[in-house]
Short mmCIF file of all heavy atoms in Angstrom, two decimals:
data_model
loop_
_atom_site.label_atom_id
_atom_site.label_comp_id
_atom_site.label_asym_id
_atom_site.label_seq_id
_atom_site.Cartn_x
_atom_site.Cartn_y
_atom_site.Cartn_z
N ALA A 941 41.88 48.07 55.78
CA ALA A 941 43.27 48.41 56.11
C ALA A 941 44.08 47.20 56.57
O ALA A 941 45.30 47.18 56.45
CB ALA A 941 43.29 49.51 57.19
N ARG A 965 33.44 51.74 59.41
CA ARG A 965 33.06 52.53 60.57
C ARG A 965 32.08 53.60 60.14
O ARG A 965 32.40 54.42 59.27
CB ARG A 965 34.32 53.17 61.17
CG ARG A 965 34.07 53.86 62.48
CD ARG A 965 35.36 54.13 63.21
NE ARG A 965 36.21 55.11 62.55
CZ ARG A 965 37.05 55.90 63.19
NH1 ARG A 965 37.15 55.81 64.50
NH2 ARG A 965 37.81 56.74 62.55
N ASP A 992 44.77 44.47 61.94
CA ASP A 992 44.14 45.75 61.59
C ASP A 992 45.12 46.81 62.06
O ASP A 992 45.49 46.81 63.24
CB ASP A 992 42.80 45.89 62.31
CG ASP A 992 42.01 47.09 61.82
OD1 ASP A 992 42.54 47.87 60.99
OD2 ASP A 992 40.86 47.27 62.27
N PRO A 993 45.57 47.71 61.18
CA PRO A 993 46.63 48.65 61.61
C PRO A 993 46.25 49.55 62.78
O PRO A 993 47.08 49.86 63.61
CB PRO A 993 46.91 49.49 60.36
CG PRO A 993 46.34 48.75 59.22
CD PRO A 993 45.24 47.87 59.77
N MET A 994 44.97 50.00 62.83
CA MET A 994 44.64 51.03 63.81
C MET A 994 43.62 50.53 64.83
O MET A 994 42.47 50.24 64.49
CB MET A 994 44.06 52.26 63.08
CG MET A 994 44.92 52.75 61.93
SD MET A 994 46.55 53.28 62.42
CE MET A 994 46.26 55.00 62.81
N LEU A 995 44.03 50.46 66.09
CA LEU A 995 43.09 50.14 67.17
C LEU A 995 42.69 51.48 67.79
O LEU A 995 43.40 52.02 68.63
CB LEU A 995 43.77 49.23 68.20
CG LEU A 995 42.98 48.90 69.48
CD1 LEU A 995 41.63 48.31 69.17
CD2 LEU A 995 43.80 47.97 70.37
N ALA A 996 41.59 52.04 67.31
CA ALA A 996 41.20 53.40 67.70
C ALA A 996 40.18 53.35 68.84
O ALA A 996 40.56 53.21 69.99
CB ALA A 996 40.69 54.14 66.47
N THR A 997 38.87 53.41 68.52
CA THR A 997 37.87 53.30 69.58
C THR A 997 37.82 51.87 70.12
O THR A 997 37.38 51.64 71.25
CB THR A 997 36.45 53.62 69.05
OG1 THR A 997 36.14 52.70 68.01
CG2 THR A 997 36.37 55.03 68.51
N LEU A 1022 49.20 50.78 65.38
CA LEU A 1022 49.05 51.85 66.37
C LEU A 1022 47.79 51.62 67.18
O LEU A 1022 46.77 51.21 66.61
CB LEU A 1022 48.85 53.18 65.63
CG LEU A 1022 50.04 54.06 65.35
CD1 LEU A 1022 49.54 55.40 64.81
CD2 LEU A 1022 50.85 54.29 66.61
N LEU A 1049 42.41 59.60 71.43
CA LEU A 1049 41.57 59.76 70.23
C LEU A 1049 41.12 61.21 70.15
O LEU A 1049 40.89 61.85 71.19
CB LEU A 1049 40.31 58.90 70.35
CG LEU A 1049 40.47 57.39 70.34
CD1 LEU A 1049 39.11 56.74 70.53
CD2 LEU A 1049 41.11 56.94 69.03
N ASN A 1052 36.85 63.00 66.41
CA ASN A 1052 36.35 62.21 65.28
C ASN A 1052 36.75 60.74 65.37
O ASN A 1052 36.58 59.99 64.42
CB ASN A 1052 36.87 62.79 63.96
CG ASN A 1052 36.37 64.20 63.75
OD1 ASN A 1052 35.20 64.48 63.99
ND2 ASN A 1052 37.25 65.09 63.33
N GLY A 1053 37.33 60.36 66.48
CA GLY A 1053 37.71 58.95 66.65
C GLY A 1053 39.02 58.60 65.96
O GLY A 1053 39.32 57.42 65.77
N TYR A 1054 39.81 59.62 65.60
CA TYR A 1054 41.14 59.34 65.02
C TYR A 1054 42.20 59.35 66.12
O TYR A 1054 42.09 60.10 67.10
CB TYR A 1054 41.50 60.38 63.95
CG TYR A 1054 40.87 60.03 62.62
CD1 TYR A 1054 39.55 60.37 62.35
CD2 TYR A 1054 41.58 59.33 61.64
CE1 TYR A 1054 38.94 60.02 61.14
CE2 TYR A 1054 41.00 58.97 60.45
CZ TYR A 1054 39.68 59.32 60.21
OH TYR A 1054 39.09 58.95 59.03
N ILE A 1055 43.21 58.52 65.90
CA ILE A 1055 44.30 58.46 66.88
C ILE A 1055 45.21 59.67 66.68
O ILE A 1055 45.59 59.99 65.54
CB ILE A 1055 45.11 57.15 66.68
CG1 ILE A 1055 44.21 55.92 66.91
CG2 ILE A 1055 46.31 57.12 67.62
CD1 ILE A 1055 44.89 54.58 66.60
N VAL A 1056 45.57 60.34 67.80
CA VAL A 1056 46.55 61.43 67.74
C VAL A 1056 47.71 61.13 68.69
O VAL A 1056 47.50 60.57 69.75
CB VAL A 1056 45.92 62.81 68.07
CG1 VAL A 1056 45.08 63.31 66.93
CG2 VAL A 1056 45.11 62.78 69.36
N GLY A 1058 49.08 59.89 65.89
CA GLY A 1058 48.66 58.96 64.86
C GLY A 1058 49.38 59.08 63.54
O GLY A 1058 50.56 59.49 63.46
N LEU A 1059 48.67 58.72 62.50
CA LEU A 1059 49.23 58.83 61.15
C LEU A 1059 48.15 59.12 60.13
O LEU A 1059 48.35 59.03 58.92
CB LEU A 1059 50.02 57.56 60.78
CG LEU A 1059 49.38 56.18 61.00
CD1 LEU A 1059 48.27 55.90 60.03
CD2 LEU A 1059 50.44 55.10 60.91
N GLY A 1060 46.96 59.51 60.62
CA GLY A 1060 45.85 59.79 59.71
C GLY A 1060 45.06 58.52 59.43
O GLY A 1060 45.05 57.59 60.24
N ASP A 1061 44.41 58.50 58.28
CA ASP A 1061 43.61 57.34 57.92
C ASP A 1061 44.50 56.30 57.22
O ASP A 1061 44.99 56.53 56.12
CB ASP A 1061 42.47 57.78 56.99
CG ASP A 1061 41.50 56.63 56.74
OD1 ASP A 1061 41.92 55.58 56.20
OD2 ASP A 1061 40.32 56.78 57.09
N ALA A 1062 44.71 55.18 57.91
CA ALA A 1062 45.67 54.19 57.40
C ALA A 1062 45.24 53.65 56.04
O ALA A 1062 46.06 53.48 55.14
CB ALA A 1062 45.81 53.05 58.40
N GLY A 1063 43.93 53.38 55.89
CA GLY A 1063 43.42 52.86 54.61
C GLY A 1063 43.68 53.85 53.49
O GLY A 1063 44.20 53.49 52.41
N ASP A 1064 43.33 55.10 53.71
CA ASP A 1064 43.54 56.12 52.67
C ASP A 1064 45.02 56.27 52.34
O ASP A 1064 45.40 56.43 51.19
CB ASP A 1064 42.98 57.47 53.12
CG ASP A 1064 41.47 57.52 52.98
OD1 ASP A 1064 40.91 56.72 52.22
OD2 ASP A 1064 40.85 58.38 53.66
N1 URA B 1761 41.43 54.50 61.59
C1 URA B 1761 42.47 55.10 60.97
O1 URA B 1761 42.81 54.77 59.84
N2 URA B 1761 43.13 56.07 61.63
C2 URA B 1761 42.80 56.44 62.86
O2 URA B 1761 43.45 57.32 63.42
C3 URA B 1761 41.70 55.82 63.49
C4 URA B 1761 41.05 54.84 62.84
#
Side-chain angles (χ1 to χ4, degrees):
R965 188 164 67 151
D992 189 355
M994 309 299 272
L995 174 55
T997 60
L1022 266 189
L1049 293 178
N1052 298 317
Y1054 278 82
I1055 299 174
V1056 286
L1059 49 71
D1061 188 300
D1064 282 340

